[in-house]
Every structure is written in C-alpha cells, then in structure tokens.
Amino acid sequence: MADVTFLSQAEPVDEYGRALYAVSRSILRAHFDELSQADLEDLNCDRVDVTFRQLAKLARLHRDKGSRGDGFEWAVHEAIVGGEPRVVDLVSEALRKVSPRGFADLDRPTSLMFGHERARHLGFTEAVVNNASGDAVLLPDGSGRPFAFGSWVPIAARGVAAEPQLRKRIKKVWKTDLFLSSAEKVRFAAATIKSNWHQLEDGNGLRVAIVPQALDLSAGYQRWNSLHLIALPDPDGFMGLFNDAYEAVAEAILTVGRHDRAPYYYKPSAKAQKIQAQLEKYGKVKVVDILDALNEAAQQNLIAVDRKLMSVEAPTWLNINEKRTQVIAPRPAFEKLD
C-alpha cells in the first residue's frame, strides 16, 4: 500500500495565472493517474518515482485515447470541490431538478471521483464508499425506493461486467464518472463527464451529464434524453481556462516525450506558454514533486490535500534493481504569472 495524495481546490480561484496553475495541475494529475500497473512494470519503478520525462513518453495525447476527457473530468471534479461558481451554480441547478425534494436545501454541491477504471485499484472503491455517509443512497431513474450507496457502488466498480448484476433502474451506473451530492453526502446522483457532448450516452442510473459548450450546444442547463445536461460556458468561462491549461501541458509533453505534433493542436496563450516552458525544464524531476510545485504556484489557500492508502506498488514478483543510475534533477518552482 502507498500513501497517495488527492489534491482539490478549497476556494474559487480569482486570478487567471493562479487558475491556470490549478487546472494545469489537475490535467497533469490526470495523465499521472492513467499510468497502469503494466506501465510501472515497464518503467521498472514505483509510481511515486516516475519522472516527467517517463510520463511524457507514455502519455496518451491523441484525441481518441481519452486523456483530454480524463483531464476535463479531474478539472470539473476539482472545480466542484473548490466551489468554482461557474461550475457549481449549474451543478446545483441540475441536482435540484434531479430531486426537487432531496436537494431543496442544497447549499453547495460535492463530488466523489469514481470511474470504474480507477476502481480497479485496491482501496479506491472503499475510499469512495467511506466518503459517503453511512445511510447514503443512490438516486435511480423513475420513482420508488433509492438504492443503498455502499451496497451497489462496489458492484458497479467492476465495470461493464457488472451490468447483469445491477438492477434495471441502475443498469448503467457503472459508467459513472462523478457521484454528485450535497455537503451531507446522503443522496447521490450519478454523473457522466464528456469533453465532447456528441459522445454522450444515457442509461438507467445516470442522472447528470457535464460537457463543454459547443457550436451546436448552448451553455447552461437543459434536458438531453434522460439526462440533466450541464454545458459549461466557453470560451470565456471555465472551458476556455481548461483548454488553455490543457494545451500548455500537452505541448510540454510533446516536447519532453519527443512525440510528433498532431495538426489539430493549437498553441496555448502567452501565459499558458510560460507554464509549458517551465514544465519542459523539469524532465528529470519526479511528477509528484512537480505537482507539489504547481500546488504552491496556485497558492496553498486554494488547495486541499487528502491522503488515502491505495495499492499502487509493483507486484512482489517484479525484481527491482537495488542500484540505479543516480539522477540529479532541479527542484521545480513556478513563477507568478500575474
């Protein structure tokens, strides 16, 4: 078992530079989160020892490989936890539509990260269940009694293989990315997150969808099939910020990992290019140290740190070299952008 740090915004960001650092950290963490046990075995090191250069060589940047969606998912989650008004106001509106009685007194929404891909890690599902109250329930489709959160989430964590064991009214809850609730964490609504709204899929048990605004989708709340759809404003709102930070991290990964640059990538803004340039200097630095430095650049009062035990270490049969080439790397530090 290893001590893994989950980072989240504790307060809304009020400066574009600090916001860029906060969202860049979320996106880098999403790439870091994508490393599988097989990747760690190939790298012959533990997760906490992975350098940015190693991560950059394995990072999936192609638009069809899911990294952009994962980064968007992390950023939305942290925006909700951090109380970012451009996100939480729309989430609160959607939850009141999901359950007018249950969320009538909703003051501020909360978010639990799920995703059955992460649930493969030993301890992750237990952490999700333990973060809910003891009497927490999952709000299904239609009317009738809700389902016990702690009983059905571990089943959903098995992914598509769990679908035959899930009740009809929560048949697709295994596709959940975030579980949304109030501060009391008693009632949960399953949410799906997509960076492209054309990829949305509804299904029994999924109640909320969060996507960015598009040319053919206006910002705000609306209904889409059986989902309560939230389109985050773009380009001057949250999605503009996310896109800028995503491109900064992507450009740094392209350079450090020596990837071919795909034609659909666009250049980040001048401030975001400063983040890119700084990241490119830290190829030999451990990713966890870069995350800490980004944390400091975003200012400590914006960040909440939550540590949980999760099994992320290499299997016992893998022989780890006792002596490795010593790597000397600079201590990462990020300059103020504003």
Side-chain angles (χ1 to χ4, degrees):
M1 302 291 283
D3 192 14
V4 178
T5 301
F6 292 88
L7 305 173
S8 59
Q9 290 175 227
E11 297 178 6
V13 292
D14 55 7
E15 294 179 17
Y16 192 77
R18 293 190 300 169
L20 270 178
Y21 278 129
V23 179
S24 295
R25 184 212 61 224
S26 300
I27 292 165
L28 183 60
R29 178 57 197 261
H31 285 292
F32 191 52
D33 186 53
E34 283 183 349
L35 290 178
S36 66
Q37 190 63 47
D39 292 331
L40 297 177
E41 293 168 9
D42 292 340
L43 293 173
N44 197 23
C45 68
D46 298 331
R47 184 178 297 267
V48 294
D49 295 322
V50 174
T51 66
F52 182 55
R53 185 168 66 186
Q54 290 174 317
L55 175 64
K57 290 182 180 298
L58 293 176
R60 302 177 300 166
L61 283 175
H62 192 276
R63 60 171 53 178
D64 296 326
K65 297 298 184 181
S67 60
R68 188 180 185 87
D70 287 347
F72 179 54
E73 182 182 323
W74 271 96
V76 170
H77 167 70
E78 295 194 353
I80 296 172
V81 173
E84 171 56 47
R86 290 171 288 184
V87 178
V88 298
D89 290 350
L90 289 170
V91 171
S92 297
E93 180 182 357
L95 288 178
R96 293 189 188 99
K97 300 288 186 180
V98 168
S99 179
R101 180 179 299 179
F103 293 115
D105 299 327
L106 177 64
D107 179 39
R108 175 172 165 177
T110 58
S111 170
L112 292 182
M113 180 72 76
F114 186 58
H116 70 272
E117 296 90 351
R118 296 180 188 85
R120 291 195 302 260
H121 297 296
L122 181 62
F124 189 93
T125 303
E126 289 83 353
V128 172
V129 173
N130 290 339
N131 266 308
S133 73
D135 299 324
V137 294
L138 182 62
L139 300 176
D141 282 339
S143 59
R145 293 178 60 86
F147 292 83
F149 189 79
S151 300
W152 291 98
V153 168
I155 298 176
R158 291 162 47 198
V160 65
E163 190 167 320
Q165 281 74 51
L166 293 170
R167 297 286 180 86
K168 181 179 179 180
R169 295 167 63 208
I170 55 171
K171 186 66 74 175
K172 298 295 183 180
V173 77
W174 62 270
K175 293 185 176 183
T176 301
D177 294 312
L178 303 178
F179 284 111
L180 304 176
S181 184
S182 61
E184 293 74 25
K185 298 180 181 178
V186 174
R187 300 173 183 85
F188 285 90
T192 177
I193 313 293
K194 293 292 183 184
S195 58
N196 183 344
W197 84 276
H198 293 284
Q199 297 174 350
L200 275 178
E201 296 178 358
D202 61 349
N204 291 352
L206 295 176
R207 308 303 308 278
V208 179
I210 303 177
V211 298
Q213 178 186 354
L215 288 175
D216 53 352
L217 181 69
S218 58
Y221 166 84
Q222 58 189 283
R223 292 301 300 267
W224 182 83
N225 293 350
S226 63
L227 295 171
H228 296 267
L229 177 62
I230 298 168
L232 299 179
D234 177 48
D236 297 325
F238 180 78
M239 277 310 300
L241 177 67
F242 172 81
N243 286 333
D244 206 12
Y246 181 88
E247 297 303 332
V249 176
E251 290 288 346
I253 288 175
L254 287 171
T255 301
V256 175
R258 297 183 178 180
H259 298 288
D260 293 330
R261 192 176 189 278
Y264 51 78
Y265 288 119
Y266 62 82
K267 283 291 185 180
S269 69
K271 284 187 177 181
Q273 287 183 49
K274 291 182 179 180
I275 296 178
Q276 170 195 340
Q278 293 175 87
L279 285 172
E280 290 173 355
K281 296 188 301 183
Y282 300 130
K284 295 181 179 179
V285 177
K286 295 178 182 178
V287 176
V288 291
D289 292 335
I290 296 177
L291 290 172
D292 285 342
L294 287 169
N295 200 25
E296 293 176 5
Q299 296 193 3
Q300 287 293 336
N301 64 323
L302 295 177
I303 303 301
V305 180
D306 187 18
R307 291 183 171 86
K308 298 183 183 299
L309 289 177
M310 291 176 60
S311 179
V312 295
E313 298 187 5
T316 55
W317 52 263
L318 180 63
N319 294 320
I320 304 296
N321 295 333
E322 293 184 2
K323 295 182 179 180
R324 293 195 179 99
T325 303
Q326 184 177 10
V327 177
I328 300 176
R331 182 183 184 277
F334 290 89
E335 63 189 33
K336 187 175 177 61
L337 296 180
D338 295 290

